[in-house]
Amino acid sequence: MEWTNLILEKLERWGQAAIKMLPNLALAVLVFTVFYLLAKLAKTLIYRLSCRLSHKQAISNLLAGVGWFIVFAIGLFTSLEILKLDKAVSSLLAGAGIIGLALGFAFQDLTSNFISGIYITFRKPFDVGHVIETNGFTGSVENIQFRSTTMRTFDGLHLIIPNKDIFQKPLINHSLTTERKIELHFTVPFNKEPAPVLDDIVQTLRNIVKKERQSGVRKAPEVFFENIEGNNLKLMVSLWISNSKDNSFNQARHRLITQVLDALRQKQLLP
């Protein structure tokens, strides 16, 4: 029958085309296999090299994955080119672009966090173990990932902050601050002759501040008058301390306040 002959002729042409494509198919499979093995080798080598250079597992995994994808994509497109599937290659590239654009809009927050994580990992504004203050939270950094950063606050809370929020907002790294300034403001009443009382107060405060000053801090402590309101004198005491320990600021401020109050009470300047 006529339709049977048409089917047989079609199958025959397909068979002839398949036979003609056998050398190209074999070469394409060989090329794809070689590039696949090269991709695995490149992934292993890049991972080992990046581990030696950065000592960051996250960076090593990222670079190794990118290297594997590049070599694998080259092998895939080269194999399709050998098979003369130019239209398939163009369709794949166009489809990848459209899919990438759609995913970019759908997961823009995830993409922003990922890019911010890469910036944090490479530029290192802070590291694991540093005490940082950001987004209204203060704590010690426990883990840095590409999507988020994990912190442990001083009251023991386990906090996970998206990297985008850390990247876009101000960040204070207390661990990189070698010296820190303490400022205390006092209101002291005086009913006697102002000059002797003021000199006595200033000398007392300066002696306390000098004794409290820690070694390694080059900046001198200071005492300033801020204002006079009726029979009350307002003073500001400033002291620079070493910030080598996590809780050194709170401890030094506590000691300084206690010593100043005791000294002022001994001179009967405070009740």
Side-chain angles (χ1 to χ4, degrees):
M1 298 178 66
E2 185 177 355
W3 61 271
T4 307
N5 294 332
L6 291 175
I7 293 176
L8 292 176
E9 290 177 0
K10 192 68 172 180
L11 292 176
E12 184 179 358
R13 288 196 298 268
W14 284 355
Q16 292 176 357
I19 293 174
K20 291 180 181 179
M21 286 292 295
L22 282 178
N24 290 347
L25 180 61
L27 180 60
V29 172
L30 178 62
V31 169
F32 181 79
T33 304
V34 170
F35 271 91
Y36 178 76
L37 296 176
L38 288 176
K40 294 182 66 176
L41 179 62
K43 182 178 181 180
T44 303
L45 294 177
I46 293 174
Y47 180 81
R48 292 179 179 177
L49 180 60
S50 59
C51 283
R52 292 180 180 179
L53 295 177
S54 66
H55 302 287
K56 296 285 186 179
Q57 188 175 3
I59 297 178
S60 302
N61 290 331
L62 174 64
L63 295 178
V66 171
W68 178 89
F69 178 78
I70 292 174
V71 177
F72 179 81
I74 293 174
L76 177 62
F77 291 132
T78 303
S79 301
L80 294 176
E81 187 72 24
I82 293 174
L83 294 175
K84 298 181 180 180
L85 298 176
D86 300 338
K87 294 183 179 180
V89 174
S90 301
S91 299
L92 285 175
L93 292 176
I98 295 174
I99 292 174
L101 184 61
L103 291 177
F105 280 108
F107 300 100
Q108 54 183 342
D109 288 339
L110 183 62
T111 304
S112 300
N113 288 326
F114 182 77
I115 296 175
S116 301
I118 294 177
Y119 172 84
I120 291 173
T121 303
F122 279 95
R123 293 299 300 271
K124 295 182 179 180
F126 57 87
D127 208 340
V128 175
H130 285 184
V131 176
I132 65 173
E133 181 178 350
T134 181
N135 292 272
F137 300 98
T138 303
S140 177
V141 178
E142 290 191 343
N143 190 17
I144 303 174
Q145 298 179 343
F146 286 118
R147 192 191 68 85
S148 61
T149 296
T150 304
M151 294 172 52
R152 180 76 65 176
T153 62
F154 291 146
D155 52 355
L157 296 177
H158 191 77
L159 180 65
I160 299 177
I161 303 179
N163 288 328
K164 181 185 69 173
D165 294 338
I166 299 177
F167 178 75
Q168 294 178 347
K169 295 182 180 180
L171 169 72
I172 299 176
N173 191 333
H174 294 280
S175 297
L176 297 182
T177 306
T178 58
E179 297 179 1
R180 189 171 177 182
K181 186 178 183 181
I182 298 176
E183 287 189 358
L184 301 179
H185 301 269
F186 293 93
T187 300
V188 181
F190 62 94
N191 299 317
K192 303 178 182 179
E193 290 295 329
V197 173
L198 297 183
D199 293 340
D200 196 11
I201 292 175
V202 172
Q203 187 60 39
T204 301
L205 294 178
R206 284 177 177 170
N207 292 335
I208 294 174
V209 170
K210 288 180 180 179
K211 292 180 181 178
E212 183 64 26
R213 182 181 179 184
Q214 299 184 12
S215 60
V217 179
R218 300 180 180 179
K219 299 179 181 179
E222 298 172 316
V223 178
F224 295 105
F225 298 115
E226 289 187 316
N227 198 2
I228 297 178
E229 296 180 355
N231 292 330
N232 294 327
L233 173 66
K234 290 191 173 183
L235 301 98
M236 189 270 288
V237 178
S238 67
L239 170 68
W240 289 89
I241 65 168
S242 175
N243 197 38
S244 57
K245 297 181 181 179
D246 294 342
N247 204 27
S248 57
F249 176 82
N250 293 329
Q251 293 175 353
R253 182 176 58 184
H254 173 77
R255 292 194 305 268
L256 185 59
I257 292 176
T258 303
Q259 293 176 18
V260 169
L261 291 178
D262 290 342
L264 294 177
R265 287 194 181 100
Q266 290 178 4
K267 294 184 176 295
Q268 298 180 352
L269 297 174
L270 289 178

